[in-house]
Amino acid sequence: MKSLILGNGLRVVYAPSPTNTVYLGLAVDAGTRDETDEESGMAHFAEHLSFKGTSRRTSRQIITHMESVGGDLNAFTGKEETVYYCTCQKEHFRRAMNLLFDVVFNSRYPQEEMDKEVEVVIDEIESYNDSPSELIYDDFEAMLFQGHPLGRNILGNAERLRQFKSEDVAQYTQRLYTPDRAVLFVYGNVELNEILRRIPDNMLSDARQHVVRAQTTRCLTPCERTIKKDTHQAHIMMGARAYGGTHEKHLALFLANNILGGPGLSSRLNIALREKRGLVYTVESTLTTYTDTGVWAIYFGCDHHDANKCKRIVKKELQRLCDAPLSAKALNAAKRQIIGQIALSYDNFESVAIGMGKRMLHYNRTQTKDELINRIQALTSEQVWNAAKEIFNPENLTILEYR
């Protein structure tokens, strides 16, 4: 894996892949967290509108440019980034590079396209609102980061979106879509010199912007909230703020969370709630990492009359992890499981490529699979226990229920 920084601040990260397919993209340091209060929903809306026409291409030309050769162009918006990415065969690499830079840096955001696309995004919002098992994650983060942009819904709201004009989107992207706030990532059998040759000349000028991102504090008073919903099940989230991506305890918490409620059916929460008692269909414990903070959360859905019982069981499992360190046997088993999960995840080449880009964007570093595995192997039972005690403490839980 190689990385470098161009004179204008654009970062490039590259790694060879074992196939003839190339995965590439531009990760931009512009997400929900970077919006002003008046721009709520702008990051996601700008991502949609970037496909609606540039100074060189119409929206139809954009959507067919890669599909006509069997490739793909897509994008997504997060709280701290917007990522545009392509998948193509090696022989179409130049085509993909030209399209990516055009869409990200030359979009025009025509008002007539905005007026149509805003209704598409509002339909997306309404669809999301119809799914309580997804909506509850946003409402939970709003509780954890009340008054901070990280607590803001990525999609925004219909009333605000309908007020946006073409010049508002242009102003937002001019402020945040600059080379020094972007990372070009390429995972494929393309020479680094070829990658650099395909960067458009107009991207080599210096257009840096100094943008200050609002920071968070770890101080938070645990609270409980119930929202009345006309749903068949009770939907419940329990959790707390967690470590940021650079925190020394982050990896230990990552392992502890996998033991507690990771993707495997053998997780402690799945065994306690589903296998032993049949109280839930789905239970999961997730760890969302931002640069300077994070969110640890347990989600499950259950019959309304089982909600309190399920919460007591969850707290009991949390207390187990807080009471004593893992035995050597349990620690080794946990490491073996998560290392296997990581190894399998590296077969998803698109995910590997996007991970490369986001890691360089937020932390200015690369990390290979072997480096990550070695860090996990070095974790001690004491380190995992200390992270669990600090974050999993049942007395510090924030709880949200849809009842």
Side-chain angles (χ1 to χ4, degrees):
M1 190 178 297
K2 300 176 182 178
S3 65
L4 69 157
I5 304 177
L6 303 185
N8 62 351
L10 178 69
R11 287 161 285 174
V12 181
V13 59
Y14 157 80
S17 77
T19 74
N20 194 47
T21 304
V22 181
Y23 306 84
L24 68 157
L26 282 162
V28 185
D29 203 11
T32 308
R33 183 175 189 171
D34 302 292
E35 301 164 345
T36 65
D37 291 341
E38 293 73 24
E39 292 173 336
S40 180
M42 180 69 79
H44 176 256
F45 197 36
E47 173 226 307
H48 272 243
L49 293 172
S50 293
F51 291 80
K52 297 304 176 181
T54 71
S55 55
R56 296 172 52 196
R57 294 177 173 90
T58 65
S59 59
R60 178 64 63 87
Q61 289 171 329
I62 289 171
I63 63 177
T64 61
H65 196 67
M66 295 310 302
E67 290 185 3
S68 65
V69 293
D72 182 51
L73 170 68
N74 214 328
F76 65 86
T77 304
K79 294 288 181 80
E80 293 190 312
E81 72 283 316
T82 303
V83 179
Y84 300 82
Y85 57 101
C86 273
T87 306
C88 65
Q89 292 297 288
K90 180 179 177 180
E91 56 264 34
H92 302 303
F93 171 71
R94 179 179 179 180
R95 173 186 287 252
M97 282 280 285
N98 288 340
L99 180 63
L100 271 173
F101 277 92
D102 193 30
V103 164
V104 175
F105 293 108
N106 297 324
S107 286
R108 295 187 299 109
Y109 319 113
Q111 189 64 50
E112 63 272 18
E113 292 289 348
M114 286 183 62
D115 294 339
K116 291 185 293 185
E117 193 64 19
V118 70
E119 300 305 322
V120 174
V121 176
I122 290 170
D123 282 344
E124 184 180 0
I125 293 171
E126 293 306 319
S127 174
Y128 198 62
N129 288 339
D130 286 341
S131 179
S133 62
E134 295 181 13
L135 183 63
I136 195 170
Y137 281 84
D138 278 335
D139 285 343
F140 188 72
E141 287 207 8
M143 289 177 67
L144 291 184
F145 298 108
Q146 187 174 5
H148 189 278
L150 279 176
R152 187 179 291 150
N153 188 305
I154 291 173
L155 301 181
N157 66 78
E159 181 181 358
R160 180 62 56 83
L161 290 172
R162 287 195 174 104
Q163 295 174 0
F164 290 151
K165 301 300 180 184
S166 179
E167 54 268 27
D168 299 323
V169 186
Q171 186 179 54
Y172 170 84
T173 55
Q174 287 166 9
R175 184 175 84 243
L176 297 172
Y177 280 43
T178 57
D180 60 302
R181 297 179 58 83
V183 169
L184 169 66
F185 57 90
V186 180
Y187 184 54
N189 287 321
V190 183
E191 294 295 329
L192 183 57
N193 287 338
E194 172 70 5
I195 296 170
L196 298 179
R197 277 199 301 270
R198 299 308 174 193
I199 297 174
D201 290 342
N202 66 339
M203 281 294 98
L204 301 179
S205 61
D206 198 339
R208 303 187 184 214
Q209 296 277 0
H210 180 65
V211 178
V212 179
R213 175 173 277 170
Q215 298 300 298
T216 60
T217 65
R218 284 295 312 282
C219 299
L220 178 73
T221 302
C223 59
E224 295 192 28
R225 182 184 179 193
T226 299
I227 299 176
K228 296 297 183 182
K229 295 276 187 179
D230 185 19
T231 56
H232 172 71
Q233 284 188 313
H235 297 267
I236 299 174
M237 293 206 75
M238 309 167 69
R241 287 194 195 176
Y243 308 123
T246 59
H247 197 285
E248 61 181 7
K249 296 181 183 178
H250 172 260
L251 196 61
L253 183 65
F254 177 59
L255 179 57
N257 181 70
N258 204 60
I259 297 167
L260 177 68
L265 295 179
S266 60
S267 72
R268 291 190 178 187
L269 288 177
N270 192 72
I271 290 174
L273 290 173
R274 178 173 175 169
E275 297 301 321
K276 285 186 176 181
R277 299 174 176 90
L279 294 171
V280 304
Y281 174 69
T282 297
V283 58
E284 61 184 4
S285 180
T286 57
L287 193 59
T288 303
T289 304
Y290 301 118
T291 50
D292 61 337
T293 187
V295 175
W296 160 70
I298 295 167
Y299 164 79
F300 60 88
C302 65
D303 289 341
H304 289 272
H305 63 266
D306 290 327
N308 290 334
K309 182 178 182 180
C310 288
K311 287 189 292 182
R312 288 194 299 269
I313 293 169
V314 167
K315 290 179 180 180
K316 182 178 179 181
E317 291 302 320
L318 294 175
Q319 196 62 55
R320 282 182 61 202
L321 280 168
C322 294
D323 282 344
L326 296 169
S327 67
K329 181 179 179 180
L331 179 64
N332 288 334
K335 288 179 178 180
R336 184 169 61 248
Q337 180 185 49
I338 202 167
I339 287 170
Q341 293 168 355
I342 290 169
L344 291 176
S345 74
Y346 271 76
D347 281 347
N348 185 333
F349 298 142
E350 184 176 87
S351 178
V352 170
I354 292 172
M356 284 168 38
K358 289 177 63 175
R359 191 174 299 109
M360 180 59 67
L361 182 72
H362 295 311
Y363 307 115
N364 283 311
R365 68 174 186 233
T366 61
Q367 179 177 255
T368 66
K369 176 179 68 175
D370 289 342
E371 288 170 344
L372 175 57
I373 289 173
N374 288 338
R375 291 177 60 207
I376 290 172
Q377 290 284 27
L379 288 172
T380 67
S381 183
E382 193 79 14
Q383 288 173 319
V384 176
W385 186 37
N386 286 335
K389 286 191 294 182
E390 186 166 341
I391 304 300
F392 293 170
N393 186 341
E395 296 182 359
N396 294 334
L397 292 175
T398 288
I399 301 174
L400 174 62
E401 301 184 41
Y402 287 172
R403 300 284 290 271

